[in-house]
Amino acid sequence: MNEQLLSLLLVATGQTLYMVGVALLATIVIGLPLGVVLVGTEQGRFLSSPFGSRRAGIVVNRVLDFVVNLGRSVPFIILMVALIPFTRLIVGTFIGPTAAIVPLSVVAIPFFARMVEIAIKEVDDGLLEVAASLGASRWQLVTKVLLPEAAPAMLLGLSTTVTSIINFSAMVGTVAGGGLGDVAIRYGYQQYSWIHIISVIVVIFAIVMVLQGLASWGARRLARRSPRGGPATRRAARRAHAATPAS
């Protein structure tokens, strides 16, 4: 590998990691609470009657479900083009790695929200009943029971999400978004250079393998700390009880 190609790949890899890192942060910050609310506002769940209104819970749940399904159903290349005015409004331009963060976040947030929803639904309802019987508030049910118990599954879901973000980040090269995708298109496709195409594939594959390995390792450690049922139930109940203010 010559120095020019190596330098080009280093810069492009840095841009890709920047795009993926910031988009992943936005995805966690917005997608995590979105997934929790999506589950909680289902019938019979802990947020099914926000503000004391069951109708409000139904409306919130239906709206969020529609938004998540819409975000997951639109092809990324179309979404990326459609978001150009919004991207320009947010960051002042639609070209470059910073601009690419906007469509990457928009496509990843509903995906991760659905992953959070699936992970939380796997938590034993008995945990919530035990914690609720001890007087835990809704906030404590979420932070002391649901999220700790669903953490291993959510971490695996996050690894799937970040893999998708990396794949999508390669597509932003079609609109001058920078990163490894830009290298693959400008040099690999337009100049038909196989060395550039193969190099980009190898780098992306290495990034995905490292992140997937870290996520799997973290999920296993979290699962050992919090096995479902039995001790986990008692621990979660104790956490909720300890966090409950004395009346």
Side-chain angles (χ1 to χ4, degrees), residues 74-84 103 107 168 170-175 185:
V74 178
F76 180 67
I77 189 71
I78 298 175
L79 180 68
M80 187 170 54
V81 174
L83 286 175
I84 284 178
V107 76
F168 288 136
M171 297 176 65
V172 300
T174 58
V175 292
I185 291 174

Side-chain angles (χ1 to χ4, degrees), residues 8-226:
L8 186 65
L9 288 176
L10 286 176
V11 173
T13 302
Q15 291 175 342
T16 294
L17 292 178
Y18 164 66
M19 289 188 287
V20 172
V22 178
L24 183 63
L25 180 62
T27 299
I28 296 173
V29 170
I30 300 175
L32 180 59
L34 181 60
V36 172
V37 174
L38 191 60
V39 177
T41 51
E42 289 184 350
Q43 186 174 7
R45 294 278 185 172
F46 55 95
L47 288 175
S48 59
S49 300
F51 313 109
S53 171
R54 174 60 192 145
R55 185 179 297 275
I58 294 174
V59 171
V60 171
N61 183 266
R62 297 287 172 78
V63 170
L64 292 182
D65 190 61
F66 174 79
V67 171
V68 169
N69 286 335
L70 178 64
R72 295 178 61 220
S73 60
V74 178
F76 180 67
I77 189 71
I78 298 175
L79 180 68
M80 187 170 54
V81 174
L83 286 175
I84 284 178
F86 179 70
T87 302
R88 183 181 289 158
L89 177 67
I90 296 296
V91 298
T93 179
F94 66 94
I95 297 174
T98 300
I101 292 171
V102 176
L104 289 175
S105 301
V106 170
V107 76
I109 287 171
F111 186 85
F112 182 58
R114 195 62 86 188
M115 291 289 180
V116 172
E117 178 191 17
I118 294 172
I120 290 179
K121 283 184 175 179
E122 292 178 353
V123 176
D124 188 354
D125 289 338
L127 289 172
L128 298 177
E129 295 174 2
V130 172
S133 67
L134 292 172
S137 64
R138 290 173 177 172
W139 174 255
Q140 290 164 348
L141 287 177
V142 173
T143 58
K144 305 296 180 182
V145 181
L146 281 179
L147 295 184
E149 291 299 320
M154 286 195 297
L155 188 56
L156 291 176
L158 187 63
S159 71
T160 304
T161 304
V162 73
T163 301
S164 299
I165 296 176
I166 291 172
N167 291 334
F168 288 136
S169 73
M171 297 176 65
V172 300
T174 58
V175 292
L180 292 166
D182 186 55
V183 173
I185 291 174
R186 282 197 296 128
Y187 295 90
Y189 176 69
Q190 295 178 351
Q191 300 183 17
Y192 207 69
S193 171
W194 276 103
I195 185 64
H196 285 85
I197 294 177
I198 294 174
S199 299
V200 167
I201 292 174
V202 169
V203 173
I204 291 178
F205 178 72
I207 294 173
V208 170
M209 289 300 293
V210 169
L211 293 177
Q212 184 66 52
L214 289 174
S216 299
W217 174 78
R220 285 196 299 272
R221 287 186 61 86
L222 289 174
R224 287 198 202 101
R225 290 181 180 179
S226 181

